Amino acid sequence: MKGSVSETIRSKIKAWYRKNRRDLPWRKTSDPYHIWVSEIILQQTRVSQGIGHYLKFVSRFPDLKTLAAATEEDVLKTWQGMGYYTRARNLYKTAVLITNSYNGIFPGTPEELVKLPGIGSYTAAAIASIAYRYPVPTIDANVIRIIARLYGMQQDIHSVGLKKKIETLTMELLDQENPGEFNQAMMDFGSLQCTPGVPGCSSCPLNQYCKAHLTGMEDKIPMRKEKKKLQHRYFHYLVLTDHGHVWLHKRTGNDIWHSLYEFPLAEMPAGKQPDAESWYKATGIPDIQPEKISKTYRHTLSHQMIHATFYQATIPPGHKQPGDELVRVPVQSIGTYPLPVLIARYLADSGTADYRQKG
Ligand code: SF4
């Protein structure tokens, strides 16, 4: 499909986009800051949910300068509800870096952009092409699906060979004059027309060129190996109260929810309940006897499912307070700390804090 066929496909995708494009808030601007924030949000959040989060984020941090002048805790708090907090930490790091080392101006080439924290090749291509009209294609799952179907590619979606071919073909299809708009057209075409599962082939302007459709393979391409299995983890949280205060722990280390706050935690194997020894390890206080146990809350991350249970307890009379690793927080202030959504759900359900209003 070289030469004129590529041109025909390109012009049909552009015509389709003019009629069907989604009206999204970040499409009203070519400011690299706004493009960057939207792309980071969309890395792991659906467009429909991302719109509200994007508007909230840019209303709190309207430009790079405001974001760089904030605290990481403030950024994490604004990010709450979106998960994958590494994205928020990297947004903040990058804002500070651009302010201090790039005179506050976003670099305009993919090569420079990928050097920044949290910006991979896809995000770099999106920012460079949309904000600076740099001729580089954005290759995500949508684009891989469209190209693999159009060209009838039957290799595994994760194979290096397929990736290389797709890079060459998307570069060939790219509209050199307005690469950003063409990349956005491909995103929408993949989300609305050439969808996963059963695509809309009967109304597709490319159906007479598409090898997958012409051979009845559109529901089988792209091909993929089995998905990685979910890891199940069992978190038992101690909601330890003491005269209108509760104890929180800041997560550190190379694990989920880095820098977020949680209750003292006993992580146990499946089917095993925590005992006084488990709570001693989590708090440094012996003889803790929980008075009330919550239902189990489930929360799915990319490769993990967290099963969390909350145990309410008070510090036994005469015992010392927990060690320095825990912070004592007035119950009504919990909502001012960045918390995993799972804990926010428990707080909202339990009435432990007036979390709905605070959060
Ligand atoms: S014909 Fe079907 S499979 Fe082919 S590009 Fe169009 S929607 Fe996708």
Side-chain angles (χ1 to χ4, degrees):
M1 281 195 203
K2 285 203 177 285
S4 63
V5 177
S6 288
E7 277 166 36
T8 308
I9 290 175
R10 183 186 311 123
S11 77
K12 283 184 180 290
I13 290 176
K14 283 165 68 180
W16 177 95
Y17 185 59
R18 282 195 289 276
K19 272 195 223 151
N20 299 286
R21 60 177 285 164
R22 291 176 291 185
D23 182 23
L24 302 171
W26 48 86
R27 293 212 173 138
K28 295 180 173 42
T29 174
S30 57
D31 175 3
Y33 172 75
H34 290 86
I35 306 298
W36 169 56
V37 170
S38 70
E39 288 297 334
I40 299 295
I41 289 174
L42 295 179
Q43 280 174 358
Q44 272 128 342
T45 304
R46 285 162 190 244
V47 170
S48 55
Q49 293 166 339
I51 293 171
H53 289 300
Y54 167 83
L55 293 172
K56 179 181 163 196
F57 195 89
V58 296
S59 134
R60 172 66 188 83
F61 306 111
D63 50 36
L64 193 80
K65 213 170 138 191
T66 320
L67 181 59
T71 62
E72 187 189 72
E73 206 145 301
D74 197 4
V75 176
L76 290 174
K77 179 73 192 138
T78 306
W79 193 263
Q80 199 165 305
M82 272 190 278
Y84 302 98
Y85 284 83
T86 306
R87 292 182 292 169
R89 277 187 284 273
N90 282 334
L91 274 174
Y92 178 60
K93 269 192 223 162
T94 295
V96 172
L97 189 64
I98 294 178
T99 303
N100 294 338
S101 308
Y102 293 78
N103 283 332
I105 297 165
F106 249 91
T109 66
E111 292 75 20
E112 281 296 312
L113 285 160
V114 286
K115 293 179 190 161
L116 300 169
I119 298 189
S121 55
Y122 176 86
T123 306
I127 298 169
S129 65
I130 298 169
Y132 298 106
R133 292 197 175 210
Y134 191 96
V136 58
T138 48
I139 302 179
D140 69 349
N142 282 321
V143 171
I144 292 171
R145 186 170 60 253
I146 298 165
I147 300 293
R149 283 173 172 168
L150 270 176
Y151 295 84
M153 297 171 160
Q154 297 192 22
Q155 290 122 296
D156 179 76
I157 193 169
H158 299 298
S159 74
V160 179
L162 184 86
K163 199 171 164 249
K164 285 225 156 76
K165 275 189 202 165
I166 285 181
E167 279 169 10
T168 309
L169 292 166
T170 46
M171 194 64 204
E172 195 179 298
L173 267 188
L174 187 70
D175 180 6
Q176 301 287 322
E177 281 169 25
N178 199 344
E181 191 180 77
F182 188 76
N183 284 334
Q184 288 173 315
M186 290 289 274
M187 290 172 207
D188 280 10
F189 190 77
S191 300
L192 304 173
Q193 186 78 43
C194 192
T195 52
V198 184
C201 300
S202 57
S203 62
C204 177
L206 304 180
N207 56 16
Q208 51 184 305
Y209 305 93
C210 174
K211 283 198 179 162
H213 177 62
L214 294 172
T215 54
M217 295 284 286
E218 59 265 42
D219 59 343
K220 297 189 180 58
I221 295 177
M223 297 186 166
R224 51 172 58 81
K225 285 188 202 152
E226 257 185 46
K227 269 194 168 178
K228 207 173 156 188
K229 271 195 174 173
L230 266 189
Q231 180 197 4
H232 291 267
R233 296 176 72 180
Y234 300 86
F235 285 9
H236 299 265
Y237 281 121
L238 188 69
V239 185
L240 188 61
T241 51
D242 163 33
H243 297 96
H245 289 70
V246 69
W247 295 87
L248 295 180
H249 166 254
K250 187 172 184 178
R251 287 184 72 91
T252 53
N254 187 20
D255 198 356
I256 58 169
W257 301 337
H258 183 82
S259 295
L260 301 191
Y261 286 80
E262 63 183 0
F263 298 114
L265 168 68
E267 182 172 358
M268 309 295 294
K272 203 156 186 291
Q273 300 304 313
D275 55 15
E277 177 66 21
S278 320
W279 298 134
Y280 177 70
K281 278 189 196 154
T283 63
I285 301 177
D287 306 328
I288 287 180
Q289 298 293 337
E291 292 129 29
K292 208 171 153 195
I293 303 178
S294 75
K295 66 176 185 182
T296 300
Y297 289 76
R298 288 186 186 81
H299 187 75
T300 310
L301 302 165
S302 54
H303 299 305
Q304 300 185 22
M305 181 180 278
I306 309 299
H307 305 253
T309 313
F310 297 82
Y311 300 69
Q312 288 184 17
T314 47
I315 296 185
H319 278 294
K320 65 177 178 108
Q321 300 217 320
D324 291 345
E325 288 196 352
L326 302 182
V327 283
R328 188 168 182 262
V329 174
V331 168
Q332 69 273 17
S333 303
I334 298 180
T336 62
Y337 284 75
L339 305 166
V341 167
L342 179 70
I343 291 185
R345 274 172 55 208
Y346 164 75
L347 290 171
D349 282 357
S350 69
T352 302
D354 189 4
Y355 192 76
R356 280 180 208 283
Q357 286 174 27
K358 295 275 171 200

